[in-house]
Amino acid sequence: MSLSLSLRIVGSRMVLRRLFSSGGPRALVSGASQPQMSFSVLPRYLTGERLLSKYPFLNTCHAIPSQESGFSTMSTFRRISRFFNFSSSTTSTPSSPKHSITNTSEEQKHGEFVGSLDCGTTSVRFIIFDKYANIVAQNQLEFPQYYPNPGWHEHDAEEIQQHAELCIQNAMRELEKAGWAKESVKVIGITNQRETTVAWSRKTGKPLCKAIVWTDSRTKNTVIHYEKKLEEIGVEVKPGVWKKGKDGVEALREITGLPLSTYFSAIKLRWMLDHIPDVAAAHESDDLLFGTVESWVLYNLVGGASTNLHVCEVTNASRTLLLNTTTLQFEPCLLSFFGFRSSILPKIVSSSEVYGKVSPGVPVGGLVGDQQAALVGNKCLKKGEAKCTYGTGAFLLFCTGGEIVKSEHGLLSTIAYQAGPHAKPVYALEGSISVAGSAVKWLRDTMGFIEDAAGVNTLAAKETDTGGVYFVTAFSGLLAPYWDPGAGGLIIGVSQYTNPSHIARATLEANAFQTRAIIESMKLDSGNGLQHLKVDGGMTNGDLAMTVLADIGGFTVVRPEMRESTALGSALLAGAAIKLFGWDIEKPETLKEVNTKGTTEFKPSMEDTIRARKWEGWQRAVERSKGWEEGVDE
């Protein structure tokens, strides 16, 4: 086996070190120039002998922001301000990025646009929309994923910020190339992967450890510990009033709408405090700031440690296991239950208001978790409307209006959005699937079955069925409606007849089966069946994937032509915050001209008897995957 090492150094900082071996697994190692080895898995097409020019962050040698690079001596606020506003006399300096933004000319047009920064699980995007949701300019960059141990999934929060800044810069440059003045962007929104937990220093504004990603399942034992605490000691819901056992579980769900799970941010933060000395010391010395990704990104965009704007948007806060979804405030009894200082918490803000400015003329007016953003982007703003987003995971939200609907069948009650600081919250039922597109990525990057994500549809189309194979994609346990963190990934029904096409098709069916499981629960909770499901996200680009979803689910799948619903949702909230285009989230009729291009419908064609037999097989497979790993109380 041949092994080669590629180094890129800017000053004293090692920006990229690429390890690759012919025919073997490939990885990227990033970090400072000290001899440390921190592996981060990137898609194969980014880590081969040649880096694609469409990813300039990985394909150029300019210094990324770091303590050592000259670029870092300029604050994030100043760097971002340069992307939106700068004079024609701007000159390049040795410490500036090699990419510069073209100066505005007199010939450039002036318009009114909304920018959306979409900080997802594997990439960041900056998309600029007009009033009709046409995309005027955009840029997307993938960032490293870290898997240091089985079940662990980490991000470097500073890398997320660096990629976000470069995405904004690149998109603004594309806007100018298209003939529009940069001042045409009037407001930006931010949407983000939810539950991912960031801990940083109040004094320095720097992360204290890697961020723990929402998919991470290292906290199984932490969950076991607090389940035991809830059972034996309970939670003090009022001074002197304790509830424990089943009453304690019910009290937790009554306050937050959530169960104890590895999924939610409070459990991840508790693990940090118990296992990372720097985080524990910062907590003890009152130097710790806790937040989700939108909190971290906004903090940096508007000034970082110099301004210390520390806020958390309400839909993201509702995923922490700390928010009272009725009062919209962090619940003191839960801070006591988990052992958190109140000073580490951000201020709760609505989904649509001006929080600060990234430059004198460009406010940030929308913050929202990615799944709620997709609900807004699909304009599912009324009670009874539902959407499902298929990205790294899959998330089905069913709008319940101003009413908190308590699920009795494994779903979550969550906040859908709050249209302004004085607006009443709108709620939703949610079913979460931890693995959707990430299963396709596994087929591509780990198994080598396909060259790109779209290839799963081509490979699966070579067979008309799975040959009896079921794939329970429990890479980090199962979420709704099963809620089993100990479930193990399972491929069952394999025989000598099985080939990669069967497994590819079983991957698509796994996505459909889990969607159906959530919809079955929603039927039981709401008493209503689902006639059609609006969909968006990367997996929906495949016609076969959508056909399989319709056949397994037994309902019509509606796919819009413009499927950047997550980014659009935060753009709508941001525009509404400054009354741009007359948008008002509380008045859906003001959005009637938004994203009105055609849709594609996929109707079920599978025979009912076949659908029922396959559904029974899926349920048997899930039962076999449950409880594979047993946690212990640490």
Side-chain angles (χ1 to χ4, degrees):
M1 179 180 73
S2 64
L3 181 69
S4 60
L5 178 67
S6 176
L7 303 181
R8 285 185 180 177
I9 300 176
V10 178
S12 63
R13 177 171 174 80
M14 182 179 296
V15 178
L16 291 176
R17 290 176 283 178
R18 286 192 292 122
L19 274 170
F20 49 84
S21 55
S22 58
R26 294 162 177 171
L28 175 142
V29 186
S30 64
S33 55
Q34 299 301 316
Q36 59 187 25
M37 299 294 286
S38 177
F39 284 87
S40 61
V41 178
L42 288 178
R44 176 172 302 165
Y45 54 83
L46 290 184
T47 56
E49 298 287 339
R50 180 174 58 88
L51 292 173
L52 298 182
S53 59
K54 68 180 287 190
Y55 292 93
F57 188 86
L58 296 179
N59 203 33
T60 59
C61 292
H62 65 76
I64 61 175
S66 70
Q67 291 183 347
E68 293 82 6
S69 70
F71 190 43
S72 68
T73 62
M74 188 187 302
S75 69
T76 296
F77 178 82
R78 288 175 59 202
R79 293 196 300 266
I80 296 297
S81 294
R82 284 162 51 86
F83 302 161
F84 290 96
N85 292 287
F86 57 90
S87 68
S88 59
S89 61
T90 298
T91 58
S92 176
T93 67
S95 62
S96 301
K98 289 187 178 180
H99 294 304
S100 61
I101 303 175
T102 306
N103 292 331
T104 304
S105 67
E106 294 180 0
E107 291 76 20
Q108 285 186 311
K109 299 172 289 184
H110 288 262
E112 290 187 319
F113 303 133
V114 183
S116 175
L117 181 62
D118 183 353
C119 301
T121 306
T122 59
S123 69
V124 290
R125 295 178 295 173
F126 190 68
I127 301 179
I128 301 172
F129 294 100
D130 68 11
K131 67 180 294 185
Y132 305 107
N134 297 313
I135 295 175
V136 183
Q138 63 179 317
N139 186 252
Q140 179 174 2
L141 295 171
E142 293 194 11
F143 56 84
Q145 310 291 311
Y146 299 89
Y147 305 99
N149 293 297
W152 292 33
H153 187 184
E154 297 179 338
H155 288 158
D156 184 319
E158 288 192 296
E159 288 178 342
I160 292 175
Q161 188 67 32
Q162 292 156 5
H163 284 70
E165 291 179 32
L166 190 57
C167 247
I168 293 173
Q169 179 183 6
N170 291 344
M172 295 298 289
R173 187 165 59 250
E174 290 301 314
L175 180 70
E176 290 195 296
K177 286 181 180 178
W180 295 100
K182 58 192 175 301
E183 292 85 3
S184 298
V185 177
K186 302 302 182 184
V187 64
I188 69 171
I190 300 171
T191 182
N192 61 288
Q193 49 166 314
R194 305 171 306 169
E195 295 93 19
T196 294
T197 303
V198 187
W200 69 96
S201 165
R202 188 191 313 274
K203 294 176 183 176
T204 68
K206 297 293 183 181
L208 295 164
C209 62
K210 288 283 201 305
I212 300 181
V213 182
W214 61 272
T215 58
D216 187 288
S217 60
R218 78 183 70 179
T219 54
K220 292 174 185 176
N221 294 340
T222 306
V223 171
I224 296 295
H225 171 79
Y226 282 97
E227 284 178 343
K228 185 177 180 181
K229 181 177 180 179
L230 202 56
E231 176 68 29
E232 298 179 355
I233 300 174
V235 58
E236 190 177 19
V237 294
K238 295 179 182 178
V241 179
W242 291 78
K243 291 191 176 183
K244 63 181 182 179
K246 291 183 179 179
D247 289 341
V249 172
E250 181 59 30
L252 188 66
R253 289 182 66 92
E254 187 71 25
I255 295 168
T256 67
L258 311 175
L260 281 170
S261 168
T262 60
Y263 191 23
F264 305 112
S265 306
I267 294 293
K268 301 178 191 298
L269 178 60
R270 186 64 254 177
W271 188 95
M272 289 178 175
L273 289 170
D274 292 338
H275 295 85
I276 302 175
D278 286 350
V279 178
H283 185 259
E284 185 63 27
S285 65
D286 202 19
D287 184 42
L288 176 64
L289 295 180
F290 150 75
T292 41
V293 170
E294 94 294 350
S295 180
W296 163 253
V297 171
L298 179 66
Y299 172 88
N300 284 282
L301 288 181
V302 300
S306 64
T307 57
N308 264 323
L309 179 65
H310 186 211
V311 303
C312 182
E313 183 271 334
V314 66
T315 67
N316 283 287
S318 73
R319 317 297 295 188
T320 62
L321 205 56
L322 297 173
L323 186 81
N324 186 316
T325 54
T326 301
T327 66
L328 305 188
Q329 296 298 320
F330 289 120
E331 182 63 37
C333 75
L334 296 180
L335 298 182
S336 177
F337 180 71
F338 289 111
F340 300 148
R341 288 174 176 263
S342 61
S343 60
I344 72 173
L345 299 174
K347 175 187 174 183
I348 304 294
V349 294
S350 76
S351 312
S352 181
E353 59 181 278
V354 174
Y355 317 98
K357 294 184 178 181
V358 296
S359 76
V362 185
V364 180
L367 295 176
V368 63
D370 53 6
Q371 303 314 317
Q372 285 90 339
L375 189 76
V376 174
N378 276 300
K379 297 189 285 187
C380 295
L381 305 174
K382 298 179 181 178
K383 184 176 180 179
E385 296 179 325
K387 71 88 199 179
C388 193
T389 298
Y390 296 96
T392 301
F395 304 87
L396 201 158
L397 268 70
F398 179 89
C399 185
T400 61
E403 177 187 5
I404 299 176
V405 175
K406 177 183 169 185
S407 175
E408 301 292 345
H409 301 92
L411 304 181
L412 305 178
S413 299
T414 195
I415 297 173
Y417 60 90
Q418 184 186 13
H422 305 296
K424 293 182 179 179
V426 173
Y427 297 92
L429 279 173
E430 176 174 338
S432 307
I433 301 168
S434 61
V435 174
S438 55
V440 176
K441 192 173 182 181
W442 177 77
L443 293 179
R444 182 191 71 186
D445 298 340
T446 304
M447 303 305 292
F449 285 1
I450 53 178
E451 289 296 322
D452 53 44
V456 69
N457 292 275
T458 304
L459 181 60
K462 293 180 180 179
E463 298 288 350
T464 58
D465 58 35
T466 67
V469 172
Y470 289 88
F471 185 5
V472 182
T473 53
F475 292 171
S476 53
L478 289 170
L479 298 181
Y482 310 107
W483 295 108
D484 184 356
L490 176 76
I491 298 178
I492 197 167
V494 176
S495 67
Q496 288 182 319
Y497 175 69
T498 304
N499 63 46
S501 295
H502 292 126
I503 295 175
R505 198 172 188 99
T507 303
L508 299 182
E509 288 198 355
N511 184 65
F513 283 128
Q514 291 182 88
T515 302
R516 175 172 172 176
I518 290 170
I519 290 173
E520 294 292 332
S521 293
M522 286 187 173
K523 287 179 185 177
L524 294 171
D525 283 330
S526 68
N528 298 313
L530 186 71
Q531 298 302 315
H532 67 268
L533 179 67
K534 293 183 179 180
V535 298
D536 62 272
M539 281 194 75
T540 66
N541 293 331
D543 286 358
L544 180 59
M546 295 300 95
T547 299
V548 168
L549 176 60
D551 281 342
I552 296 295
F555 48 74
T556 298
V557 175
V558 179
R559 184 181 68 186
E561 182 177 325
M562 202 293 291
R563 296 188 284 281
E564 299 293 353
S565 303
T566 301
L568 178 58
S570 73
L572 292 175
L573 291 162
I578 64 169
K579 306 302 180 185
L580 190 64
F581 310 133
W583 289 348
D584 187 337
I585 302 301
E586 294 185 289
K587 298 177 181 178
E589 63 272 14
T590 65
L591 309 177
K592 63 182 180 181
E593 294 183 327
V594 174
N595 200 17
T596 57
K597 292 182 179 179
T599 60
T600 302
E601 293 189 355
F602 299 86
K603 298 182 182 295
S605 59
M606 181 180 288
E607 294 180 13
D608 291 343
T609 54
I610 297 175
R611 181 182 300 116
R613 185 174 70 247
K614 293 177 76 69
W615 177 240
E616 180 184 356
W618 167 257
Q619 291 173 304
R620 290 167 57 209
V622 168
E623 287 304 311
R624 284 161 172 76
S625 78
K626 287 182 176 179
W628 179 252
E629 295 184 20
E630 295 183 0
V632 296
D633 182 3
E634 294 181 329

